[in-house]
Amino acid sequence: MKYRTAKELREMFVSFWEEKGSKHLPSFSLVPEDPSLLFTIAGMVPLKPYYLGIKTPEHPRVVTSQKCVRTNDIENVGRTARHHTFFEMLGTFTWGSYFKNEAIAWAWEFLTERVGLDPSRLYATIYTDDEEAFSAWRRFLPESKIYRFGQDDNYWFMGDTGPCGPCSEIYYDRGEKYSCGKPTCGVGCDCDRYMEIWNLVFTQFDRQKDGSLPLLPHKNIDTGMGLERLASVVQGVDTDYETDLFTPLIEHTCRKAGITYGANPRDDMAVRVIADHVRSVAFMLADGVLPSNDGPGYVLRRLLRRAVRFGKLLGFEGLFLNEYMPILIKIMGDPYRELITQRPVIEQIISLEEEKFNKTLRQGTELFDEEIRRLKSEGRTEIPGGVIFTLYDTYGFPPELTREMAGEEGFTLDEPGFAEAMNEQRERARASSKQKKSALAGDVYTELENEFGATKFTGYEASSGRAKILALITPEGRAENVRASGEFEVVLDATPFYAERGGEVGDTGTITMNALTLHVLNTVPHGKITAHTVRAEGQGVVSVGDEVVCAVDDERRSAIRRNHTATHLLHEALGRVLGRHVRQAGSLVTDEFLRFDFTHHSAVSDEEIAEAERIINAEILANVEVNISEHSKEEAQSLGAKALFDEKYGDVVRVVDVPGFSMELCGGLHVRRTGDIGCLKILREESIGSGTRRIFAATGMNVLTLLQKLFAMRSSITALLSTDEDGITEKARALIEELKTARSEIQAVKLRELTENAERFFEREEVKGLLVQTGRFAGIPANMLRDIGDKARAKQDGSVVILASVGDDKSCQLIVMADEKAVGQGVNAGALVKEACGILGGKGGGRKNLAQGGGKDGVRLDEALARIHALLKNG
């Protein structure tokens, strides 16, 4: 058998199936459209709508090499020969074109004639009573090499109901040296001798709720073969990690660590973990996944941190993960160009995440090791939930990482205790999650799409036009007639109204018929259906089938166009000023302003903002024509158009090109020339999360309105300060200093008066030989309270001073002081304040001799003070 690289095998597979009439589709994103999945876990996932009959495939035969991520067994990655988080699935798919005979014959042809596998080493499994598959295999294999298995092994279900069918798996005999040695060793054994390399699924039935299996209208094929497994067989290596997909990554790790792969099992595991996780992290980031505390972003962060920890176990210092990017690009940059185009973003986010985790990894590991030592000394083998939570919340250790570390020491985790500690955070997360659309609405829009297909959009060419009402939707559902009152939704056969998507708000305007006018308040997409939320003006009835005239609010739309094109200019300008790691992370385009979210590691300086504004406004003044054209996605990307990874693109995409400046895939509305924008002013810049910034900006007439407001304000300020424009800053600074001085003098007078009359503010009590002084005040700042407390504490050796001040809003500040003698007798000011502030609905703490805090519930001050006195008496 000839040696083949993984790249050669991938290309051979695609070209072979193209010869059989299949259309090659590039790999879909790792982030699936199916909301029930975090990641694309198999080649058929992006094609699932075709199997369910929701969509009709453009091509009856398809071949893909699909990027996949599976994370259900992360702890085993690195421990075994074939566990991976990221892998490639070579897949063939057809819907009603060919079936078992062809699928089996062509699979055999590819493996034996193209790849060159020894036919005597191949075996097949089929479902127990699948005689059609058995007959197809008998053309190539003796009956002794065809194994029959039951539903658990050789039957595939998409769900409790829906498409399903038997499957046939192809196994390769790797030889006696890989055998477990048991007399029963054979196909289906858990050892490494007989390795499954290809699964052929025959979806021919439609499972019903009652368990019956009527035939589908079309018989379908779904096959999947792991590239890593195929490469290990063809390249004659023991494990997937020894194929050319991994060895360059592994060799780099070994050189850096000064170790030899295969010499030490513990080191080998660390080396494999890093190689696998680097692949996953890079591809997730390239497909737009960003680190977060839930969803796909949590998995990304978990894998990155696991890789970092294993690097530290090998002795790596500082940041090291980005060293693997050029190696990975050399291995997989062809065909996965997103690794190249998104490299700046990938490397920036990896650096940010790695640096953040490095800051806490050592401290967290020390806490973990200390806890292990303590528990061992007590004869315990379970790590408390509170410790797990602290490692997670304070030091950024995913609980799965803590579980893995605990397992290495022979410990288990107190999972219920951790769950209890996390409960409050989970409740907050649930409360902030997006509300799902009602089942009724979802059913209505799906029903309309199935009945009428997509709403035709005419708004690229026009802002008005005639249309026909296809459906009316009220809160109760679809209606044939609606009396003109209140709000309801209208669905048309064609519309010039742009539906809210891609960050751009929906159009408003009017829909008229006879004497009745419907004011369009918003335009929203639901799948391929566009719904217009309207409010009626006038009397009458609106009916399905009515002919109407649509008119978009063109002045508002023009403002939206300006802001949308300006967003593209801003994206490019930030890339030029801040670096090519900048990538759009979200946007909002309205008629009044634009909001742009982007990846960047630090605040944007005033100088950088000014430079970005200069670049953008120079392009606006150049009055360049904005070219909009349609291309296939592959053509657009080859032209250099930027794609946004939270967007789902079809096969044909619109390219918005500002020649010589920027080019992006975009379905939104844009100006004809950059000069139409007028000008752009950045209003503010802020952080919205780790590694993500947000800019607000205005364009066109909104900038003029802003300038007029600012100039009016300037005139008022110069008049108030009796100065000119150049003197505003100096005059304001002088007034602020004057005000500070006056406040200090007032505070000093107030403090002197309070100190001189402090006796009437304090209640005194002797507790266990200590003088306990409790002072109540109103509206006194904390610094003044401390000054008063210092003087009161000096009155007697052995003194505890408690000071409380309630503000006008009923919030309360609390300070407790204890001198050296009181501390020596066991008084702990920090503990007293912490306890009392809990009653006040706040937080507090500090040292044994001085602590402060507060709370919003000042009405419970008596209760809080009583608690402090009780603790002093009984502590």
Side-chain angles (χ1 to χ4, degrees):
M1 178 171 51
K2 182 180 177 181
Y3 179 92
R4 308 275 188 182
T5 65
K7 185 175 184 291
E8 288 174 327
L9 290 171
R10 186 191 298 117
E11 291 170 350
M12 285 172 59
F13 183 83
V14 170
S15 62
F16 175 83
W17 288 97
E18 284 180 320
E19 291 170 17
K20 302 301 182 186
S22 293
K23 170 70 174 176
H24 175 221
L25 299 182
S27 176
F28 294 85
S29 171
L30 280 174
V31 182
E33 293 187 14
D34 186 343
S36 68
L37 297 173
L38 288 179
F39 296 104
T40 299
I41 59 172
M44 68 79 60
V45 166
L47 306 172
K48 187 176 176 181
Y50 303 141
Y51 288 95
L52 292 171
I54 297 172
K55 293 182 179 179
T56 302
E58 292 182 26
H59 311 284
R61 302 181 183 185
V62 163
V63 58
T64 65
S65 178
Q66 176 63 45
K67 302 174 293 187
C68 299
V69 164
R70 291 182 185 173
T71 58
N72 55 325
D73 217 3
I74 290 176
E75 286 82 1
N76 278 327
V77 172
R79 299 180 192 276
T80 70
R82 307 198 189 283
H83 272 94
H84 308 295
T85 53
F86 176 88
F87 62 96
E88 290 180 77
M89 183 73 82
L90 303 176
T92 62
F93 312 90
T94 186
W95 303 276
S97 176
Y98 60 84
F99 204 46
K100 295 178 187 178
N101 281 323
E102 295 90 342
I104 288 170
W106 290 339
W108 181 266
E109 180 185 346
F110 176 74
L111 291 176
T112 59
E113 297 181 23
R114 292 296 176 90
V115 177
L117 296 188
D118 181 354
S120 68
R121 288 176 173 260
L122 293 175
Y123 294 76
T125 67
I126 61 172
Y127 182 56
T128 306
D129 59 4
D130 192 348
E131 299 306 324
E132 187 179 357
F134 178 77
S135 297
W137 275 119
R138 281 295 285 117
R139 292 152 57 195
F140 309 104
L141 290 171
E143 187 172 348
S144 61
K145 287 193 171 185
I146 304 171
Y147 288 72
R148 296 177 185 264
F149 289 108
Q151 196 174 91
D152 289 345
D153 297 299
N154 276 75
Y155 210 95
W156 179 85
F157 297 96
M158 187 172 284
D160 292 336
T161 60
C164 62
C167 65
S168 178
E169 296 172 336
I170 302 174
Y171 283 79
Y172 181 80
D173 181 1
R174 303 175 70 213
E176 187 67 36
K177 74 171 185 175
Y178 295 100
S179 174
C180 59
K182 296 177 183 177
T184 56
C185 184
V187 171
C189 183
D190 289 335
C191 71
D192 283 341
R193 177 171 178 175
Y194 297 94
M195 184 166 71
E196 178 205 335
I197 55 174
W198 204 342
N199 188 13
L200 318 177
V201 179
F202 313 121
T203 51
Q204 60 191 101
F205 300 112
D206 186 9
R207 191 184 197 189
Q208 304 299 301
K209 289 183 179 179
D210 63 3
S212 60
L213 297 169
L215 287 170
L216 288 166
H218 301 291
K219 295 177 180 179
N220 309 317
I221 294 289
D222 158 24
T223 83
M225 174 165 54
L227 176 62
E228 292 79 5
R229 285 199 176 192
L230 180 62
S232 71
V233 169
V234 173
Q235 294 173 15
V237 294
D238 291 344
T239 73
D240 295 355
Y241 289 99
E242 292 160 49
T243 65
D244 65 329
L245 288 166
F246 289 94
T247 48
L249 301 167
I250 285 174
E251 287 167 358
H252 176 77
T253 305
C254 291
R255 281 195 302 272
K256 185 176 178 67
I259 59 177
T260 301
Y261 186 67
N264 181 301
R266 189 180 180 90
D267 289 346
D268 289 351
M269 177 180 171
V271 168
R272 290 193 292 263
V273 166
I274 294 169
D276 174 89
H277 290 5
V278 160
R279 290 175 12 127
S280 283
V281 167
F283 274 99
M284 286 182 193
L285 290 169
D287 276 0
V289 179
L290 295 174
S292 67
N293 288 328
D294 56 19
Y298 175 75
V299 176
L300 166 63
R301 179 169 281 165
R302 178 184 168 192
L303 293 177
L304 189 149
R305 293 185 173 187
R306 188 170 187 253
V308 170
R309 178 190 174 244
F310 276 97
K312 300 307 179 188
L313 291 178
L314 291 175
F316 294 173
E317 297 293 335
L319 310 184
F320 66 89
L321 288 181
N322 276 331
E323 296 174 15
Y324 294 89
M325 277 305 297
I327 304 169
L328 185 60
I329 286 172
K330 189 173 182 180
I331 300 169
M332 306 187 77
D334 180 13
Y336 301 114
R337 289 193 56 78
E338 59 267 33
L339 290 176
I340 301 170
T341 57
Q342 297 302 316
R343 181 177 176 179
V345 176
I346 295 169
E347 292 184 338
Q348 186 211 12
I349 295 174
I350 285 176
S351 292
L352 284 169
E353 282 292 305
E354 193 175 358
E355 186 174 10
K356 183 192 297 183
F357 189 46
N358 272 343
K359 290 177 181 176
T360 60
L361 176 59
R362 182 182 57 79
Q363 296 168 296
T365 302
E366 288 175 356
L367 172 65
F368 177 85
D369 292 342
E370 181 182 328
E371 190 66 20
I372 290 293
R373 284 193 296 271
R374 183 183 69 80
L375 293 170
K376 283 182 176 178
S377 70
E378 297 173 1
R380 296 162 60 190
T381 58
E382 183 182 72
I383 298 178
V387 175
I388 307 165
F389 179 78
T390 300
L391 285 168
Y392 170 74
D393 193 52
T394 305
Y395 300 105
F397 280 46
E400 297 85 357
L401 179 59
T402 304
R403 184 185 300 115
E404 186 171 358
M405 293 168 64
E408 292 168 2
E409 298 288 342
F411 276 68
T412 59
L413 301 188
D414 172 18
E415 305 276 3
F418 173 67
E420 186 177 341
M422 285 289 291
N423 188 55
E424 187 175 329
Q425 285 179 301
R426 284 177 180 153
E427 286 298 327
R428 284 198 299 269
R430 274 196 288 270
S432 66
S433 66
K434 293 179 180 176
Q435 296 296 313
K436 295 192 185 221
K437 291 183 170 103
S438 72
L440 169 65
D443 289 342
V444 167
Y445 301 124
T446 302
E447 178 184 297
L448 288 170
E449 185 174 331
N450 291 336
E451 186 175 344
F452 299 113
T455 305
K456 182 181 178 183
F457 177 59
T458 61
Y460 288 137
E461 299 82 25
S463 58
S464 62
R466 293 186 173 276
K468 179 181 178 181
I469 295 178
L470 297 182
L472 299 167
I473 305 171
T474 69
E476 289 74 37
R478 291 178 66 172
E480 286 297 311
N481 305 286
V482 175
R483 185 162 296 282
S485 63
E487 292 183 12
F488 54 95
E489 287 185 319
V490 176
V491 176
L492 306 172
D493 62 341
T495 180
F497 291 90
Y498 182 85
E500 178 183 317
R501 66 170 66 83
E504 181 177 330
V505 296
D507 276 330
T508 60
T510 59
I511 297 174
T512 57
M513 66 204 79
N514 301 323
L516 187 61
T517 298
L518 304 178
H519 291 278
V520 179
L521 309 177
N522 197 10
T523 311
V524 180
H526 296 281
K528 294 180 180 179
I529 290 290
T530 297
H532 309 75
T533 303
V534 302
R535 185 179 63 241
E537 179 184 292
Q539 299 296 316
V541 174
V542 184
S543 301
V544 171
D546 283 350
E547 300 285 339
V548 298
V549 176
C550 303
V552 174
D553 182 340
D554 219 10
E555 183 177 344
R556 179 176 179 272
R557 174 183 273 192
S558 294
I560 294 170
R561 288 182 187 272
R562 287 192 287 270
N563 282 335
H564 202 153
T565 307
T567 301
H568 287 214
L569 302 185
L570 177 60
H571 190 181
E572 174 61 23
L574 291 172
R576 295 185 183 188
V577 174
L578 304 177
R580 288 301 172 188
H581 62 272
V582 167
R583 183 179 71 190
Q584 182 170 334
S587 68
L588 176 63
V589 177
T590 76
D591 56 318
E592 296 180 348
F593 66 90
L594 67 90
R595 188 188 74 205
F596 185 74
D597 301 340
F598 59 99
T599 55
H600 189 55
H601 58 280
S602 60
V604 184
S605 69
D606 292 343
E607 293 75 17
E608 289 168 333
I609 287 175
E611 179 61 12
E613 288 178 331
R614 187 197 66 75
I615 292 171
I616 295 165
N617 284 293
E619 194 64 23
I620 292 171
L621 285 174
N623 198 26
V624 177
E625 184 176 1
V626 178
N627 298 324
I628 299 177
S629 55
E630 291 189 344
H631 301 270
S632 70
K633 189 162 64 173
E634 292 74 23
E635 287 173 344
Q637 290 175 333
S638 70
L639 291 172
K642 296 176 189 170
L644 309 181
F645 290 96
D646 57 351
E647 291 293 311
K648 305 295 183 185
Y649 298 104
D651 291 335
V652 178
V653 295
R654 294 176 84 241
V655 175
V656 178
D657 180 22
V658 181
F661 192 81
S662 76
M663 186 187 297
E664 292 189 21
L665 306 189
C666 182
L669 302 172
H670 290 273
V671 298
R672 298 184 186 278
R673 307 186 72 91
T674 58
D676 297 344
I677 298 170
C679 62
L680 176 140
K681 181 72 182 88
I682 293 175
L683 306 177
R684 74 174 188 269
E685 186 269 353
E686 62 193 24
S687 170
I688 58 169
S690 176
T692 309
R693 311 293 300 180
R694 172 172 287 173
I695 277 177
F696 290 87
T699 65
M701 296 301 290
N702 290 317
V703 176
L704 176 62
T705 302
L706 173 67
L707 288 172
Q708 289 172 334
K709 182 178 178 181
L710 290 174
F711 270 74
M713 191 183 300
R714 185 199 66 173
S715 298
S716 298
I717 292 171
T718 54
L720 283 171
L721 297 180
S722 300
T723 185
D724 57 17
E725 180 182 341
D726 294 334
I728 288 176
T729 302
E730 193 54 45
K731 192 68 178 279
R733 185 179 291 115
L735 284 173
I736 289 170
E737 288 301 317
E738 190 177 318
L739 184 59
K740 283 182 180 177
T741 301
R743 282 177 174 168
S744 295
E745 290 173 353
I746 291 169
Q747 187 168 316
V749 171
K750 196 171 184 180
L751 176 62
R752 187 169 59 249
E753 290 176 351
L754 283 171
T755 304
E756 289 172 355
N757 298 286
E759 296 296 324
R760 64 189 180 91
F761 291 101
F762 280 101
E763 296 176 3
R764 292 177 172 79
E765 180 183 8
E766 187 171 312
V767 177
K768 296 182 178 180
L770 300 174
L771 175 63
V772 178
Q773 305 176 75
T774 304
R776 296 168 179 257
F777 302 88
I780 303 299
N783 60 335
M784 285 186 66
L785 286 178
R786 284 192 294 271
D787 290 339
I788 294 169
D790 285 337
K791 291 180 171 58
R793 183 169 52 176
K795 283 185 174 294
Q796 175 180 311
D797 188 30
S799 180
V800 177
V801 181
I802 305 163
L803 304 113
S805 177
V806 178
D808 293 338
D809 60 354
K810 301 304 179 185
S811 64
C812 180
Q813 293 187 81
L814 187 66
I815 295 176
V816 175
M817 298 175 166
D819 64 12
E820 189 175 344
K821 181 178 177 181
V823 171
Q825 289 186 210
V827 174
N828 185 334
L832 295 173
V833 166
K834 184 177 181 180
E835 185 84 14
C837 287
I839 296 171
L840 296 171
K843 293 181 179 180
R847 304 188 303 274
K848 291 183 178 181
N849 64 336
L850 173 63
Q852 71 179 66
K856 59 186 178 182
D857 202 359
V859 295
R860 297 184 66 187
L861 178 59
D862 288 345
E863 186 182 342
L865 293 176
R867 179 60 179 158
I868 292 175
H869 281 266
L871 289 170
L872 288 170
K873 291 175 181 177
N874 304 319

